[in-house]
Amino acid sequence: MKAIKSQDHFFLPFWNIFQEGYRNVPRWKGYCDVNPNLPLQTNLEHQNSLNMVFASALPFLGEPELNRSLLIQASLLHELGEVDNGDTLYHLKTEEKHLRELLSFDRIITKHFSFFEPWSVKSCRRAYILQHVVNEGLTFSGHSWAEDMLRNTRKVYLAEGQVFDALERLDYVLYALKAYQKCGDVVILKHVYCNQVKRLDGYAKTIKGFNKFWTKEVSAAAKQFMRRYADIPSEREAGGIPAAYAHAVKKGYMTL
């Protein structure tokens, strides 16, 4: 047996990834580049907040047979592919980006879990891929294990994939609400609402218990906010996020 130093442990590098690795990935960069007053959120903060959302909501959601342990594992692992690739804003996500993150994730898992049983790598892969089951256009074409696992996970764990998607979308909204309360940023909240409200409304109807967290009152307030700031350009329009902020400042909706 190879001797090890007292300060070494085979699991320490992987343990560190969930702190240093996640802490080094800033989120919402396109917005923070324009509005420096936005609250900092790295993947470490996102991981912490999402875990709290999952722990709070899962006892109330879904049918009894819902695989909640899979959902918790997915919450812990779903950003691991961004350690080497950085975070991507919602409107810029592509299949190519998802694939790069998947392959980075798999390199990390294969390296650090090689000393465990083979099923542990498979279990981690399934938990990671759960975040993609509701994205019907995604295939991971050309990567057979990923294609097969995505197809199987969609078949067996669709309900879990929908719950994961609903809770992560809710977490996006909570960050944007914090940003609005902290520094009056109407742009990020308007954009996040426009991207998420329709899907959250749908999940409130189809996921048992989710309407406790995305209520009719919360939805109505979000839609009223979108109507109030309907003239703010979307992040996809000419000029992108900077143009949206310029418009909001010009109209007196906020200051920078």
Side-chain angles (χ1 to χ4, degrees), residues 133-247:
V133 301
V134 300
N135 187 350
E136 295 178 358
L138 192 64
T139 64
F140 294 130
S141 177
H143 298 270
S144 58
W145 72 262
E147 287 183 279
D148 292 344
M149 182 164 284
L150 180 57
R151 189 181 308 111
N152 180 262
T153 305
R154 281 185 176 134
K155 184 184 302 182
V156 180
Y157 297 108
L158 179 60
E160 286 80 1
Q162 291 170 339
V163 169
F164 182 95
D165 192 53
L167 293 181
E168 184 162 45
R169 289 173 185 271
L170 178 60
D171 192 69
Y172 297 158
V173 169
L174 293 173
Y175 172 80
L177 282 168
K178 176 183 177 180
Y180 179 69
Q181 292 176 359
K182 180 179 172 65
C183 60
D185 192 317
V186 297
V187 172
I188 196 168
L189 185 55
K190 195 275 179 119
H191 286 178
V192 170
Y193 275 156
C194 287
N195 287 330
Q196 308 304 338
V197 166
K198 183 177 180 179
R199 292 296 293 271
L200 291 169
D201 282 351
Y203 285 135
K205 296 175 182 177
T206 59
I207 297 175
K208 180 181 178 181
F210 188 62
N211 59 1
K212 297 179 185 294
F213 296 89
W214 187 255
T215 66
K216 291 181 180 178
E217 292 77 15
V218 169
S219 176
K223 291 168 186 171
Q224 183 180 37
F225 188 93
M226 287 190 289
R227 289 192 295 270
R228 168 69 179 85
Y229 297 104
D231 58 315
I232 294 178
S234 80
E235 65 273 38
R236 296 172 175 84
E237 293 181 50
I241 293 169
Y245 275 110
H247 178 88

Side-chain angles (χ1 to χ4, degrees), residues 84-102:
D84 296 326
N85 294 276
D87 181 61
T88 303
L89 290 172
Y90 182 83
H91 67 290
L92 297 176
K93 292 180 178 179
T94 63
E95 180 162 359
E96 180 184 1
K97 173 68 173 176
H98 287 314
L99 178 59
R100 286 202 305 272
E101 292 178 4
L102 171 73

Side-chain angles (χ1 to χ4, degrees), residues 20-41:
E20 280 86 356
Y22 275 27
R23 185 184 293 117
N24 291 332
V25 180
R27 298 174 63 81
W28 306 99
K29 188 174 184 303
Y31 294 91
C32 293
D33 287 345
V34 182
N35 185 1
N37 299 313
L38 280 171
L40 173 68
Q41 189 187 57

